Structures are given as C-alpha cells and as structure tokens.
Amino acid sequence: MTRSLFLSPSDRISSGIKRDTVPLLNLPFDDLQNNVDATSTPTVVIEQPPSTRASNGSCSHDYGTHLRAKLRFFLMSPCWKWHVKRQCPWKAWFQFIKILILTSQLYVFGIERETHVMYLSESNITFHHLFVRGWSSEDETLPYPRASGDFAVYTHQDFMDSINYAVKRFDNVTDISLGLFDYHDHSTDKSSRSYSESTGRLVNVCLNRFKTCRIDPATHTYVLDSHTENICFAINASNDFDFEKYLLRVHNETINYCGLNLLTIEFSLHAVQIKNQKPFSLPDCYHFLIKIVFDNNVRTGKILQHLNSEAYFRTCNQKVVQQNASFSLIRRNLLITLDCMVLFISVISFILCARSLWFGHCLCKEVRRYYSRERSNESPLTWSDIQIFYSFWYFLMIITDLLVIPGTIIKIAILFKTIDLYNAAGLLLGLSSLFSWFCILRYLSFFPKYNLLFETAQKALPLILRFLLCSFIIYCGFMFCGWIVLGPYHTKFRTLSTTFETLFGLINGDDMYATYANIETESVYVWLFSEIYLYSFICLFIYVVSSLVIALIIDGYDTVKKYYTDGFPKSRLQKFSEENLPQRSNQNDWQTLTTAIGARSVCFPCCFKTPQSLKDMITADTYLARHVNVFS
C-alpha cells in the first residue's frame, strides 16, 4: 500500500490490483524489505520529482523511466526472461522442435534422392557403353586426376563409324541391353505427347555449321561466311544404316569439316525403375532423352565426343499384386503429412521472427525519438548503437524459413510424380538445414562457457576483413599473371577459374608437387618463371598472410579474455538503460544479469532456480518488476 501512494495514476492502472497482490517471483516489494538503503530509494522511482510534460502529454521523466525499463527487458536473454516472468521460453523450444523436424524431413528426402541420383548416374554410364563406340570403364574416372585424355575421334572413318554405331545400337537396344528400356508406343496417347516422345525408333541428327567455308592451307586462303545454320534430319534407325551414304543419296551433300561446328544425335527411350527397398516402394517411370554431341569448334583435327542423358518423370500404369501393396501409398501419405507439418512450422516461425524484428524496430524508433526530443544536445545514435534492435539471428531464421517453404513444396510435387526437380529441392532444403543448425548457436551464445567463439569472432572480424581485402588484391595479381603466362603450358592454370582454385589449394598445401611437375614446355624462361612464381606465392600467402590472420584472431582472443576478467565494455544504449538504477558493488552486475550483449547468463539447468543475485536485482528494479507484462 505504501508503494501505491507514490505511483502516478497511469502506473496504478498498468500494474493493476492483481499485480499488487501477487508480486513477481513471490519477492517482497515493500520498501522496508528491499535490499536498497533509504538514501538510494528516491533513485529507484519510488518518489518522482517534479517533471515536465512531453509532447505526447505524458511526463517526460516517467516516459524516460518506462523506456529504459523496456530497453532493459529487451536486452535480456531468454533464460533471464524466464526468471523474471516465470513463463516457459516456448519460442526457443519451438525453434529446437523446428530443427528436429527439418532434419527428419531432410534425412528421409536424402535417402530417396540418393536412390534417384544413383539410378540416373548408372543409367547414364549404361548409355555410354551402349551407344558410344570404343567406350571403356577407364573413361568413367573422375575428371581429376585423369586416367586418360579426352574421348575423341581423329579420322573421317572413325567419325562416320561412331555415328553409325550409335544409330544401329539404338535400333537393337531392346535386344542387347540388360536394362528395362523400350521405345515409345505410338498406339496410345499420341495427341498428348511431344515430338521428342513420339518418335519411336526415329533418330534426330542435327548439323550446326557455317553457311560457307572453303579453305586452301597450301596458299593460306579461305572463303568464310560466319553466319551459322542448323540442319536436322529425322532418320529411321536400322541395322544397315550408313550416315555418309544417307547424306549423299537423300540430301546430295557431304560432311564439310571446315564449316562443321557441332553434330548432335538425339533419341529417346522409356524406362521403369524397380526399387528393392524396405519398406516396399512403388516403381518409377522415366522418359530418357539421350544426346550424343560431336564438338569440332576448335578444328584441330580432334572432334570431342560426349553423351548426355536427361530423365523426366512419367505416369506409370501400375498394378501391384501384393496383399499389403497399399502400404506404399500410406507411406507416401505419411511423408506428405510430414512435409505439411514442416510447412506449417516454417510459416509460424517466419511470423514469430518477423514479429520480433518488428518489435525491435518499434523500440528503436521510440529510443531515437526520445534522443531527438529529450537529448537533442547529445550526438544522434549511430548504426553501431541501434544494430542491437535488428538481430542477425532473426534474419538468419527468416532466410531459413524462406528456403524451407519452396523446398518443401517442390518435395511434395516430387512425391506426386509431377516434377523431378531433385536438385532444386536438395539445394533449398540443404541450405535451410545448414542455417537452422547455425541458429542453435544463438542460444549457446547466452552461456559464458560457450560464447567465447562469438565474442572472439565479433572482435577480430572487422580487422580480418580489412586485411583480407588487401590480400585479395595481391591474390588477384598472382591469379591473372599465372593464367596468362602459365595457362598454355599447365593444365591447372588453363582457365581463370582453375587458376583461382589452384592458388587457393596451394595456400592449404594441396598437391604442391603436381603443380611444380606438370609444366609442359621446353622453354627455359617459362620454367624459370614458374619456379619463381610458385615459390614467391607460397612463401607470401602461407608464411606471411596466413600467419597474420592467425595473429589477428589471437589478438581478438586476448582482448576478449580481458573482458571476462575486467568486464565487457557497455554500449551507449546499455548505459542509457541503467541510468535510473541504484549503484551496486560491481559496476558490471547489471550488464551481467540483464543483457545478452555481453553474452553472459546462467547455465540451462539453473533456469529452474532463481539465483540470489537475480532476486536482488528484481528487488532493486521495482519499475521493471511492476511493468514486465507490458513489455512482452
């Protein structure tokens, strides 16, 4: 009752009778029971000195006190808000549950995608063996390190034989192949099929060439029309097919290697994938569009040959003779239910994070308005001061939700076999999983034994970024120099992208000997340049640049260690939020107890027991205790 006599009418309304009868945390708020001596009582808001009216009609002193208390509550970590309000931090638990469900969805999708990718990859290898003349298992190795050179043809006869080989093998694919491949059936659903699907045993051969190209190497003369043309032929596949005779007989022309840029062979096959999985999964039906390309753009007498196959989902006419065949549909429906749950949780998470950012934005506007009206003699707030209102973690959570929603929609469409955008769904869901697991670090940053990484990175990152900018300029100089000088003589410097990757690999000690040894030139000057170039780059970036980056990180770590001992420096808004609080024995107590800026809090198991230091803080901070429900 004594406390109520000194409250303004607005404070009495906001606190309410129920708040007075049931004080927060069951702590006594009577002035005689507070741990604050009588001399400091007027500074705790119990007695209000005469004040001036603000532009909005409220007392400026009361408004400043209310704003500072609101700012103190905003800066609290979730664990301290749990102590102050005695409400479960359900938004933090909601994020943990979201991460678990997202990971479950990603795990199920990863198993399904692994089966899909393996089927397409092995089918593509099968097509190489079926339709590419001279293909062997040695040509299936990874691009680096290469076991053999490019797959190519070098003579006219090899070129023609390769074309005829592909056409003849396509004509006999159902007889020679071990796969479940067949041609398109013209007797059903003709009108709804595209041209590429309704060709049956037709093969499309297309020539990309210059309209006119005549050369005479003996006299170094040529006649060239640089305009290109595309000519395509629809050929009936047969066992006695000969492409050279076909061109001469039907079109009265021959292959002109001077004008030929590309020759492509296209045909299509249908396939069924039967999965031997537990639990049983229904088969998938595919339409494969196979393209064989002969590339003569360089015109060195070496025509590169490569095959590419693209797969598309098709509707299966299914009939499973099994008593529990319907279990597959039940399994699919369960997966769709999981995806719908993920969509719902992601939308709720997006709304909550956007709401928190909006509250922070509104509080930022209030603080800036207060400074412009009541503290106009002080310098205005800078971005470094107000960035605490716009948490990086909320933006990261919003980006996560924006990735999950379209990724899950694509995944549902894949389950219904309407699209097969596995790569798009994998990219979106994979990035969302990465960012969602990163978001867990936000809650670890509230604990003093786990937040050393964040404090060190925050302290050292600005210096490291400035230093890396200067280093990147030097790196670009080495990259362009190595590309232009060593590119013609070294495969690892052939293009700008490979040069960039090679130099970055050298910084990390990757494959150094091969970089020195694979120079292909008899020029002493180029060899000498390569030695000086590589030695200088390695010495500069490994022994100087990398060491200086480590030194900057260690310097930031030492600074943060001193903060743990002497206390973290307070920001401008932290000092503003603590202006109306009584002085305590330790000047950093308020920051340690109330704010997440210094990333100090209690361990999670202790969240269920209020520490004595927090009880003392609540006892002293009477205004925050009375109005805590208004700030939430």
Side-chain angles (χ1 to χ4, degrees):
M1 183 62 68
T2 304
R3 182 187 60 184
S4 303
L5 296 176
F6 296 96
L7 291 178
S8 62
S10 61
D11 289 339
R12 293 178 188 173
I13 295 174
S14 62
S15 60
I17 299 175
K18 186 176 181 180
R19 295 284 301 164
D20 288 336
T21 56
V22 185
L24 183 70
L25 299 179
N26 297 322
L27 296 175
F29 287 102
D30 191 78
D31 298 323
L32 297 177
Q33 299 179 16
N34 287 347
N35 293 331
V36 184
D37 39 14
T39 58
S40 62
T41 301
T43 63
V44 186
V45 172
I46 295 181
E47 295 186 23
Q48 305 291 346
S51 56
T52 59
R53 289 279 175 179
S55 59
N56 58 0
S58 61
C59 294
S60 61
H61 181 76
D62 290 342
Y63 177 69
T65 303
H66 182 83
L67 184 61
R68 280 187 283 267
K70 188 175 182 179
L71 185 58
R72 286 197 300 274
F73 181 80
F74 177 81
L75 296 177
M76 282 185 181
S77 66
C79 194
W80 287 116
K81 290 179 181 179
W82 152 263
H83 288 301
V84 173
K85 296 189 63 179
R86 281 303 180 190
Q87 292 182 1
C88 177
W90 61 272
K91 287 188 285 188
W93 282 108
F94 181 83
Q95 292 297 330
F96 285 126
I97 294 173
K98 184 187 82 169
I99 291 172
L100 293 178
I101 296 179
L102 283 180
T103 305
S104 301
Q105 180 201 39
L106 190 69
Y107 177 77
V108 174
F109 178 71
I111 295 176
E112 182 182 356
R113 185 169 185 257
E114 180 183 2
T115 305
H116 173 76
V117 172
M118 184 179 299
Y119 175 75
L120 298 186
S121 176
E122 294 188 359
S123 296
N124 189 66
I125 294 175
T126 300
F127 295 146
H128 277 80
H129 283 277
L130 288 176
F131 305 118
V132 178
R133 179 173 172 267
W135 187 266
S136 66
S137 299
E138 295 178 356
D139 300 303
E140 298 165 10
T141 57
L142 295 175
Y144 179 82
R146 295 189 67 90
S148 60
D150 297 323
F151 195 86
V153 293
Y154 299 89
T155 65
H156 172 74
Q157 190 60 45
D158 287 341
F159 180 63
M160 291 299 171
D161 289 345
S162 298
I163 298 174
N164 297 334
Y165 180 85
V167 175
K168 293 177 182 179
R169 298 279 280 191
F170 172 67
D171 182 56
N172 298 316
V173 67
T174 56
D175 300 327
I176 62 177
S177 174
L178 301 177
L180 305 178
F181 306 123
D182 206 338
Y183 310 104
H184 172 66
D185 186 4
H186 290 273
S187 62
T188 59
D189 205 12
K190 269 189 178 182
S191 59
S192 62
R193 303 292 183 178
S194 64
Y195 173 75
S196 61
E197 293 182 56
S198 60
T199 54
R201 298 196 184 188
L202 291 180
V203 177
N204 293 328
V205 180
C206 295
L207 299 175
N208 179 279
R209 62 188 182 183
F210 293 127
K211 287 185 176 181
T212 303
C213 183
R214 295 192 301 270
I215 61 171
D216 186 2
T219 59
H220 291 176
T221 59
Y222 62 87
V223 178
L224 177 65
D225 184 355
S226 60
H227 291 88
T228 60
E229 60 180 0
N230 288 302
I231 300 177
C232 294
F233 313 106
I235 301 171
N236 287 312
S238 62
N239 258 339
D240 57 350
F241 176 77
D242 189 306
F243 184 62
E244 187 174 15
K245 293 180 180 180
Y246 169 81
L247 286 179
L248 189 61
R249 184 181 70 253
V250 178
H251 300 281
N252 195 25
E253 62 176 270
T254 59
I255 294 292
N256 181 9
Y257 294 102
C258 169
L260 181 65
N261 296 318
L262 296 171
L263 185 146
T264 61
I265 304 173
E266 293 184 9
F267 48 85
S268 59
L269 288 173
H270 285 188
V272 178
Q273 178 194 10
I274 297 179
K275 309 171 187 177
N276 186 20
Q277 294 180 339
K278 303 296 182 182
F280 175 74
S281 298
L282 291 175
D284 291 330
C285 297
Y286 293 94
H287 167 78
F288 281 100
L289 181 62
I290 303 168
K291 180 185 293 186
I292 303 175
V293 179
F294 295 87
D295 188 353
N296 190 43
N297 279 294
V298 182
R299 291 176 174 78
T300 59
K302 172 184 177 180
I303 300 181
L304 299 176
Q305 180 181 2
H306 56 87
L307 180 147
N308 182 41
S309 61
E310 297 181 6
Y312 305 94
F313 271 134
R314 289 297 178 264
T315 303
C316 294
N317 298 320
Q318 58 189 13
K319 182 179 180 182
V320 181
V321 183
Q322 186 182 1
Q323 293 181 354
N324 59 346
S326 60
F327 178 76
S328 296
L329 296 177
I330 297 175
R331 176 177 173 269
R332 189 195 69 175
N333 294 335
L334 290 176
L335 293 178
I336 294 174
T337 303
L338 176 63
D339 294 333
C340 293
M341 186 185 303
V342 170
L343 279 177
F344 176 76
I345 291 177
S346 299
V347 171
I348 298 299
S349 174
F350 176 83
I351 295 174
L352 291 176
C353 294
R355 173 177 172 270
S356 298
L357 284 176
W358 175 252
F359 285 167
H361 175 69
C362 294
L363 182 57
C364 176
K365 290 173 62 177
E366 288 188 54
V367 173
R368 296 183 68 176
R369 188 184 304 115
Y370 179 83
Y371 264 81
S372 63
R373 293 178 180 176
E374 306 298 333
R375 303 197 175 195
S376 56
N377 57 331
E378 299 183 14
S379 59
L381 296 174
T382 62
W383 168 248
S384 60
D385 296 326
I386 65 176
Q387 65 181 352
I388 59 175
F389 297 107
Y390 306 97
S391 174
F392 161 78
W393 299 107
Y394 287 132
F395 284 107
L396 189 60
M397 292 177 187
I398 288 177
I399 293 174
T400 300
D401 297 327
L402 292 178
L403 291 173
V404 170
I405 293 172
T408 303
I409 293 174
I410 295 175
K411 182 179 179 299
I412 293 175
I414 291 174
L415 288 174
F416 281 106
K417 308 301 181 184
T418 56
I419 59 175
D420 56 348
L421 299 178
Y422 276 93
N423 291 333
L427 178 64
L428 294 173
L429 295 179
L431 286 176
S432 64
S433 176
L434 173 67
F435 293 155
S436 63
W437 280 95
F438 277 173
C439 292
I440 296 180
L441 299 176
R442 171 179 182 257
Y443 301 100
L444 291 179
S445 67
F446 295 131
F447 306 126
K449 293 184 180 180
Y450 298 96
N451 71 329
L452 187 60
L453 170 64
F454 309 99
E455 294 296 333
T456 304
Q458 184 178 3
K459 189 66 180 178
L461 187 61
L463 293 176
I464 292 177
L465 291 178
R466 297 187 188 99
F467 179 76
L468 289 181
L469 176 62
C470 300
S471 302
F472 182 73
I473 295 174
I474 303 174
Y475 188 91
C476 288
F478 273 96
M479 179 183 65
F480 285 105
C481 178
W483 171 60
I484 200 66
V485 178
L486 300 179
Y489 312 106
H490 203 302
T491 56
K492 298 180 73 172
F493 293 86
R494 195 75 75 196
T495 64
L496 270 177
S497 60
T498 56
T499 303
F500 188 94
E501 295 163 0
T502 299
L503 295 181
F504 188 79
L506 288 176
I507 295 176
N508 296 277
D510 177 47
D511 207 8
M512 287 190 177
Y513 177 75
T515 307
Y516 279 100
N518 288 350
I519 187 77
E520 300 174 357
T521 180
E522 296 181 358
S523 173
V524 178
Y525 303 105
V526 176
W527 176 83
L528 183 61
F529 170 83
S530 68
E531 295 294 307
I532 298 175
Y533 171 84
L534 292 174
Y535 278 115
S536 59
F537 177 83
I538 291 173
C539 292
L540 177 62
F541 276 85
I542 291 183
Y543 303 134
V544 179
V545 174
S546 300
S547 300
L548 286 176
V549 171
I550 295 174
L552 292 175
I553 297 175
I554 293 176
D555 181 66
Y557 173 74
D558 292 336
T559 304
V560 172
K561 283 178 61 178
K562 293 181 181 178
Y563 288 165
Y564 276 102
T565 304
D566 304 331
F568 285 83
K570 297 182 180 181
S571 66
R572 185 177 178 184
L573 290 181
Q574 283 180 275
K575 296 177 182 178
F576 167 72
S577 68
E578 300 171 8
E579 285 181 359
N580 64 332
L581 298 179
Q583 294 294 325
R584 298 176 64 84
S585 59
N586 188 341
Q587 61 178 354
N588 293 303
D589 278 351
W590 290 111
Q591 178 182 1
T592 302
L593 292 174
T594 62
T595 69
I597 300 300
R600 293 194 177 191
S601 182
V602 293
C603 61
F604 186 77
C606 299
C607 287
F608 299 99
K609 181 180 179 181
T610 305
Q612 183 61 41
S613 56
L614 180 61
K615 292 182 180 180
D616 296 338
M617 185 201 75
I618 295 298
T619 303
D621 199 350
T622 54
Y623 192 91
L624 176 62
R626 290 197 305 267
H627 298 83
V628 64
N629 284 341
V630 181
F631 303 145
S632 58

